[in-house]
Coordinates of all heavy atoms in Angstrom, one line a residue:
G15 N 89.6 -76.7 -166.4 CA 88.2 -76.3 -166.4 C 88.1 -74.8 -166.6 O 88.8 -74.1 -166.0
Y16 N 87.1 -74.5 -167.4 CA 86.8 -73.1 -167.6 C 85.3 -72.9 -167.5 O 84.6 -73.4 -168.4 CB 87.3 -72.5 -168.9 CG 87.0 -71.0 -169.0 CD1 87.5 -70.0 -168.2 CD2 86.0 -70.6 -170.0 CE1 87.2 -68.7 -168.3 CE2 85.7 -69.3 -170.1 CZ 86.3 -68.3 -169.3 OH 85.9 -67.0 -169.4
K17 N 84.8 -72.5 -166.3 CA 83.4 -72.4 -166.0 C 82.8 -73.8 -166.1 O 83.2 -74.7 -165.4 CB 82.7 -71.3 -166.9 CG 83.3 -69.9 -166.7 CD 82.5 -68.9 -167.5 CE 83.1 -67.5 -167.2 NZ 82.4 -66.4 -168.0
D18 N 81.9 -74.0 -167.1 CA 81.2 -75.3 -167.2 C 81.9 -76.3 -168.1 O 81.5 -77.4 -168.2 CB 79.8 -75.1 -167.7 CG 78.9 -74.4 -166.6 OD1 79.2 -74.6 -165.4 OD2 78.0 -73.6 -167.0
L19 N 82.9 -75.8 -168.8 CA 83.6 -76.6 -169.8 C 84.8 -77.3 -169.1 O 85.7 -76.6 -168.5 CB 84.1 -75.8 -171.0 CG 84.9 -76.6 -172.0 CD1 84.0 -77.6 -172.7 CD2 85.5 -75.6 -173.1
Q20 N 84.9 -78.6 -169.1 CA 85.9 -79.3 -168.4 C 86.5 -80.4 -169.2 O 85.8 -81.2 -169.9 CB 85.4 -79.9 -167.1 CG 85.0 -78.9 -166.0 CD 84.8 -79.5 -164.7 OE1 85.1 -80.7 -164.4 NE2 84.2 -78.8 -163.8
L21 N 87.8 -80.5 -169.2 CA 88.6 -81.6 -169.9 C 89.5 -82.3 -168.8 O 90.2 -81.6 -168.1 CB 89.4 -81.1 -171.0 CG 90.4 -82.1 -171.7 CD1 89.6 -83.2 -172.4 CD2 91.3 -81.4 -172.6
S22 N 89.4 -83.6 -168.7 CA 90.2 -84.3 -167.7 C 90.7 -85.6 -168.3 O 90.0 -86.2 -169.2 CB 89.5 -84.6 -166.4 OG 88.3 -85.4 -166.7
V23 N 91.9 -86.1 -167.9 CA 92.4 -87.3 -168.4 C 93.0 -88.1 -167.2 O 93.3 -87.6 -166.1 CB 93.6 -87.1 -169.4 CG1 93.1 -86.4 -170.6 CG2 94.7 -86.3 -168.8
L24 N 93.0 -89.4 -167.3 CA 93.5 -90.3 -166.3 C 94.2 -91.5 -167.0 O 93.7 -92.1 -167.9 CB 92.3 -90.9 -165.5 CG 92.7 -91.8 -164.3 CD1 91.6 -91.7 -163.2 CD2 92.9 -93.2 -164.6
Y25 N 95.5 -91.6 -166.6 CA 96.3 -92.8 -167.1 C 96.6 -93.7 -165.9 O 97.0 -93.2 -164.9 CB 97.6 -92.2 -167.8 CG 98.6 -93.3 -168.0 CD1 98.5 -94.2 -169.1 CD2 99.6 -93.6 -167.1 CE1 99.4 -95.2 -169.4 CE2 100.6 -94.6 -167.4 CZ 100.4 -95.4 -168.5 OH 101.3 -96.4 -168.7
Q26 N 96.5 -95.0 -166.2 CA 96.8 -95.9 -165.1 C 97.5 -97.1 -165.7 O 97.1 -97.7 -166.7 CB 95.6 -96.4 -164.4 CG 95.9 -97.3 -163.2 CD 94.6 -97.8 -162.4 OE1 93.7 -98.2 -163.1 NE2 94.6 -97.7 -161.1
R27 N 98.6 -97.5 -165.0 CA 99.3 -98.8 -165.3 C 99.4 -99.5 -164.0 O 100.0 -99.1 -163.1 CB 100.6 -98.5 -166.0 CG 101.3 -99.9 -166.4 CD 102.6 -99.7 -167.1 NE 103.1 -100.9 -167.6 CZ 104.3 -101.1 -168.3 NH1 105.0 -100.0 -168.5 NH2 104.7 -102.3 -168.6
Y28 N 98.8 -100.7 -164.0 CA 98.7 -101.5 -162.8 C 99.5 -102.8 -163.2 O 98.9 -103.7 -163.9 CB 97.3 -101.8 -162.5 CG 97.0 -102.5 -161.2 CD1 97.5 -102.1 -160.0 CD2 96.1 -103.6 -161.2 CE1 97.2 -102.7 -158.8 CE2 95.8 -104.3 -160.1 CZ 96.3 -103.8 -158.9 OH 96.0 -104.5 -157.7
R29 N 100.7 -103.0 -162.7 CA 101.5 -104.1 -163.0 C 101.4 -105.1 -161.9 O 101.7 -104.8 -160.7 CB 103.0 -103.7 -163.2 CG 103.2 -102.6 -164.2 CD 104.6 -102.2 -164.4 NE 105.3 -103.3 -165.0 CZ 106.6 -103.3 -165.3 NH1 107.4 -102.3 -164.9 NH2 107.2 -104.4 -165.8
T30 N 101.0 -106.4 -162.2 CA 100.8 -107.4 -161.2 C 101.6 -108.7 -161.6 O 101.9 -108.9 -162.7 CB 99.3 -107.8 -161.1 OG1 98.9 -108.5 -162.2 CG2 98.5 -106.5 -160.9
S31 N 101.8 -109.5 -160.6 CA 102.3 -110.8 -160.9 C 101.7 -111.8 -159.9 O 101.2 -111.4 -158.8 CB 103.9 -110.8 -160.7 OG 104.3 -110.6 -159.4
A32 N 101.7 -113.1 -160.3 CA 101.1 -114.1 -159.4 C 101.9 -115.4 -159.5 O 102.5 -115.7 -160.5 CB 99.7 -114.4 -159.9
I33 N 101.9 -116.1 -158.4 CA 102.6 -117.4 -158.4 C 101.6 -118.5 -158.5 O 102.0 -119.7 -158.4 CB 103.4 -117.5 -157.0 CG1 104.4 -118.6 -157.1 CG2 102.4 -117.7 -155.9 CD1 105.6 -118.3 -158.1
I34 N 100.4 -118.2 -158.9 CA 99.3 -119.2 -159.1 C 98.8 -118.9 -160.5 O 98.6 -117.8 -160.9 CB 98.2 -119.0 -158.1 CG1 98.7 -118.9 -156.6 CG2 97.2 -120.1 -158.2 CD1 98.7 -117.5 -156.1
A35 N 98.5 -120.0 -161.2 CA 97.9 -119.9 -162.5 C 96.4 -120.0 -162.4 O 95.7 -119.3 -161.7 CB 98.4 -121.0 -163.4
F36 N 95.8 -121.0 -163.0 CA 94.3 -121.2 -162.9 C 94.0 -122.1 -161.7 O 93.0 -121.9 -161.1 CB 93.8 -121.9 -164.2 CG 93.9 -121.0 -165.4 CD1 95.0 -121.0 -166.2 CD2 92.8 -120.1 -165.7 CE1 95.1 -120.1 -167.3 CE2 92.9 -119.3 -166.8 CZ 94.0 -119.3 -167.6
D37 N 94.9 -123.0 -161.3 CA 94.6 -123.9 -160.2 C 95.8 -124.4 -159.5 O 95.6 -125.1 -158.5 CB 93.7 -125.1 -160.6 CG 94.3 -125.9 -161.8 OD1 95.4 -125.5 -162.2 OD2 93.7 -126.9 -162.2
E38 N 97.0 -124.1 -159.9 CA 98.2 -124.7 -159.3 C 99.3 -123.7 -159.3 O 99.4 -122.7 -160.0 CB 98.6 -126.0 -160.0 CG 99.0 -125.8 -161.5 CD 99.4 -127.1 -162.1 OE1 99.9 -128.0 -161.5 OE2 99.1 -127.2 -163.3
V39 N 100.3 -124.0 -158.4 CA 101.5 -123.2 -158.2 C 102.4 -123.2 -159.5 O 102.5 -124.3 -160.2 CB 102.3 -123.8 -157.0 CG1 103.7 -123.1 -157.0 CG2 101.6 -123.5 -155.7
L40 N 102.9 -122.1 -159.8 CA 103.8 -121.9 -160.9 C 105.3 -122.0 -160.5 O 105.6 -121.8 -159.3 CB 103.6 -120.6 -161.6 CG 102.2 -120.3 -162.2 CD1 102.1 -118.9 -162.6 CD2 101.9 -121.3 -163.3
Q41 N 106.1 -122.4 -161.4 CA 107.6 -122.4 -161.1 C 108.1 -121.0 -161.0 O 109.0 -120.7 -160.1 CB 108.3 -123.1 -162.3 CG 108.0 -124.6 -162.4 CD 108.5 -125.4 -161.2 OE1 109.5 -125.1 -160.6 NE2 107.7 -126.4 -160.8
T42 N 107.7 -120.1 -161.8 CA 108.1 -118.7 -161.7 C 106.8 -117.8 -161.8 O 105.8 -118.2 -162.4 CB 109.0 -118.3 -162.8 OG1 108.4 -118.5 -164.1 CG2 110.3 -119.1 -162.7
P43 N 106.8 -116.6 -161.3 CA 105.6 -115.8 -161.3 C 105.2 -115.4 -162.7 O 106.0 -115.3 -163.6 CB 106.0 -114.5 -160.5 CG 107.2 -114.9 -159.7 CD 107.9 -116.0 -160.5
S44 N 103.9 -115.3 -162.9 CA 103.3 -114.9 -164.2 C 102.9 -113.4 -164.0 O 102.3 -113.0 -163.1 CB 102.1 -115.7 -164.5 OG 101.4 -115.2 -165.6
A45 N 103.3 -112.6 -165.1 CA 103.0 -111.2 -165.0 C 101.7 -110.8 -165.8 O 101.4 -111.5 -166.8 CB 104.1 -110.4 -165.6

């Protein structure tokens, strides 16, 4: 930032997994 001029960036990686699909248990987790 320089006085009123500002430049900012945000990077996000959110890695998830689940053992449930739409309504039932999975054999292996889904990423």
Side-chain angles (χ1 to χ4, degrees):
Y16 179 68
K17 297 183 179 179
D18 293 326
L19 180 64
Q20 294 192 11
L21 172 65
S22 61
V23 298
L24 185 155
Y25 167 81
Q26 185 181 46
R27 185 175 184 181
Y28 186 55
R29 306 184 66 184
T30 73
S31 65
I33 197 64
I34 312 104
F36 292 90
D37 57 359
E38 62 181 327
V39 168
L40 298 172
Q41 294 295 323
T42 58
S44 170

